[in-house]
C-alpha cells in the first residue's frame, strides 16, 4: 500500500524512513525544490508543490490509500487555504485515509483544567484558528467523498534539535514559575509512533490528544533544559514586563494554560510511550546530542 506524506519535515522524514523499512512505497510532497532535493538525496521519492497556489491538475495520488498531512498552515490569517488546495486536487474517486497533525491550541485557554477530547474546540489566537479551520475542512471532505480522517491534537514537540538551547544561550528572559502556565509535551520519537498507530488503528472521524500525560509549566521546562545542558537559567521577569520583552508568539503561549488527558491515545491506539515524562525524554536528548 502506497503512502503519501505532505510536508515532510523532521516528523515526516522519520515516518517515511520507518515505512520504507517495512517495504512500503513512500512519496513526499514538500514546498520547495531544495527540500525535495535533500529528501531525494536521502533516498526518498520527493517532489515540490507549493500549496499556497491553486493546483490546476489533479494530483498524481490515485494509488496512495494512506496519507499523512503534516504541512503547516500559512503564517497569517484565520483559515488554511493550503489544505483547501490539496483536498481540491485529489483525484476524483480518491478516498484515502488521512492522518492530520493539528494542535492542542484549538482548545484555547482552559485556565489550567484537565482537557480530554470531549472538550469543545475554542481557539483564541489565529495560529490555532488556522488549525481548527483545517480540521473542519477535513471533516467536511470526509462527509462529502467518504474518505477517512484521524486528527491528532499535538502538544509541544521536543527532542534532539528541538530544544530551546539557542534561546537559553542568548539569555532571553522567561516568566517566573508562579506566572508560567501549564504546558504539555511529547518527544518527537513518541509522536512518530503515535502517527503510525493512528494510521493503523485510529477510529475514522476521531481526534486524539497527543502528549506524555505529564503536564509541567514553561518555566520548569526551560530550567530543566538549562541545567541538563550546563547553560545558565533564563533571567526571570514578570508577565507584565514580558509584554515589552517577549515575542508576540511566546506571549500567546503564555496566555493559555491546560493539562492534557492522553488516556484516549494510550488506550485506543495501543501506545506505550518510550519517554513517558520530561526527565526521561530530556536525558535521551542529552545522550543523542
Amino acid at each position: 500500500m502506497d503512502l503519501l506524506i505532505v510536508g515532510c519535515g523532521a516528523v515526516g522524514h522519520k515516518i517515511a524512513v520507518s515505512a520504507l523499512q517495512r517495504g512500503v512505497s513512500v512519496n513526499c510532497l514538500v514546498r520547495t525544490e531544495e527540500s525535495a532535493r535533500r529528501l531525494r538525496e536521502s533516498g526518498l521519492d520527493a517532489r515540490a508543490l507549493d500549496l499556497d497556489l491553486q493546483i490546476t491538475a489533479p494530483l498524481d495520488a490515485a494509488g496512495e490509500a494512506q496519507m499523512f498531512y503534516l504541512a503547516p498552515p500559512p503564517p497569517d490569517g484565520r483559515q488554511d487555504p493550503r489544505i483547501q488546495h490539496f483536498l481540491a486536487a485529489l483525484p476524483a474517486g480518491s478516498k484515502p485515509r488521512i492522518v492530520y497533525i493539528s494542535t492542542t491550541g484549538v482548545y484555547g485557554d482552559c485556565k489550567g483544567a484537565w482537557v480530554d477530547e470531549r472538550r469543545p474546540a475554542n481557539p483564541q489566537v489565529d495560529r490555532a484558528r488556522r488549525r481548527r479551520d483545517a480540521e473542519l475542512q477535513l471533516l467536511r471532505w470526509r462527509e462529502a467523498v467518504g474518505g477517512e480522517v484521524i486528527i491528532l491534537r499535538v502538544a509541544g514537540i521536543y527532542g534532539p534539535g528541538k530544544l530551546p538551547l539557542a534561546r537559553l544561550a542568548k539569555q532571553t528572559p522567561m516568566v517566573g514559575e508562579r506566572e508560567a502556565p501549564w504546558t504539555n509535551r511529547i518527544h518527537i520519537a513518541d509522536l512518530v509512533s503515535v502517527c503510525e498507530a493512528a494510521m493503523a488503528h485510529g477510529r475514522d472521524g476521531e481526534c486524539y490528544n497527543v502528549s506524555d500525560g505529564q503536564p509541567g509549566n514553561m518555566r520548569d521546562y526551560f530550567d530543566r533544559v538549562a541545567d541538563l545542558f550546563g547553560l545558565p537559567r533564563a533571567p526571570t521577569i514578570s508577565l507584565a514586563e514580558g509584554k515589552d520583552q517577549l515575542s508576540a508568539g511566546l506571549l500567546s503561549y503564555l496566555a493559555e494554560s491546560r493539562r492534557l488527558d492522553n488516556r484516549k491515545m494510550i488506550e485506543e491506539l495501543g501506545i506505550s510511550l518510550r519517554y513517558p515524562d520530561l526527565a526521561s525524554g530530556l536525558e535521551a536528548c542529552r545522550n543523542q546530542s
Side-chain angles (χ1 to χ4, degrees):
M1 183 177 292
D2 289 349
L3 175 66
L4 177 67
I5 300 176
V6 184
C8 194
V11 174
H13 188 269
K14 291 178 183 295
I15 293 172
V17 170
S18 176
L20 285 177
Q21 291 172 346
R22 300 193 306 272
V24 176
S25 176
V26 180
N27 296 290
C28 304
L29 289 180
V30 290
R31 189 176 184 188
T32 68
E33 182 55 39
E34 181 181 356
S35 295
R37 177 183 54 77
R38 287 198 298 266
L39 289 173
R40 289 193 294 267
E41 289 174 351
S42 71
L44 294 172
D45 185 354
R47 60 191 177 97
L49 183 68
D50 188 350
L51 292 175
D52 283 333
L53 307 175
Q54 289 190 344
I55 304 167
T56 56
L59 286 174
D60 182 17
E64 282 109 359
Q66 296 184 340
M67 300 181 182
F68 287 101
Y69 191 98
L70 313 179
D76 302 300
R78 296 188 171 192
Q79 297 177 319
D80 185 356
R82 293 175 179 173
I83 202 164
Q84 177 185 0
H85 296 158
F86 172 76
L87 292 173
L90 289 176
S94 176
K95 299 179 181 181
R97 180 174 170 88
I98 300 177
V99 171
Y100 173 67
I101 284 192
S102 184
T103 174
T104 60
V106 299
Y107 294 118
D109 181 25
C110 304
K111 310 298 182 185
W114 282 97
V115 174
D116 67 16
E117 293 82 355
R118 294 171 295 180
R119 189 179 184 99
N122 184 29
Q124 295 166 17
V125 294
D126 285 350
R127 58 177 167 76
R129 294 186 181 107
R130 293 189 289 271
R131 292 289 188 175
R132 180 56 178 163
D133 176 66
E135 291 183 1
L136 293 173
Q137 287 192 57
L138 282 163
L139 293 172
R140 288 194 296 267
W141 167 84
R142 169 182 174 267
E143 291 296 323
V145 309
E148 296 186 1
V149 171
I150 299 94
I151 295 169
L152 302 180
R153 290 175 173 168
V154 179
I157 305 168
Y158 75 100
K162 290 186 170 294
L163 297 174
L165 300 178
R167 180 187 179 88
L168 288 164
K170 290 191 295 184
Q171 286 289 276
T172 304
M174 172 53 62
V175 298
E177 189 165 345
R178 288 174 56 186
E179 291 188 290
W182 285 101
T183 59
N184 307 268
R185 303 280 164 188
I186 187 73
H187 191 284
I188 188 171
D190 284 325
L191 174 57
V192 170
S193 296
V194 172
C195 287
E196 294 172 337
M199 184 64 78
H201 308 299
R203 286 192 291 144
D204 176 32
E206 292 292 318
C207 63
Y208 297 88
N209 290 341
V210 181
S211 81
D212 61 17
Q214 302 294 322
N217 71 67
M218 194 173 293
R219 179 75 211 197
D220 177 63
Y221 171 65
F222 276 79
D223 286 350
R224 288 198 195 196
V225 173
D227 294 349
L228 194 63
F229 286 86
L231 295 168
R233 291 185 173 189
T236 300
I237 57 173
S238 69
L239 189 56
E241 292 171 324
K243 292 178 181 179
D244 295 323
Q245 300 183 44
L246 301 177
S247 68
L250 180 56
L251 286 171
S252 74
Y253 285 105
L254 290 170
E256 297 187 352
S257 181
R258 54 189 166 264
R259 290 177 284 178
L260 291 180
D261 185 328
N262 71 350
R263 286 176 293 181
K264 183 177 178 182
M265 176 196 81
I266 296 290
E267 294 167 4
E268 291 195 10
L269 302 184
I271 294 298
S272 178
L273 292 171
R274 188 181 309 178
Y275 305 110
D277 52 45
L278 188 58
S280 61
L282 287 179
E283 184 62 33
C285 292
R286 183 176 68 169
N287 293 337
Q288 296 169 28
S289 62

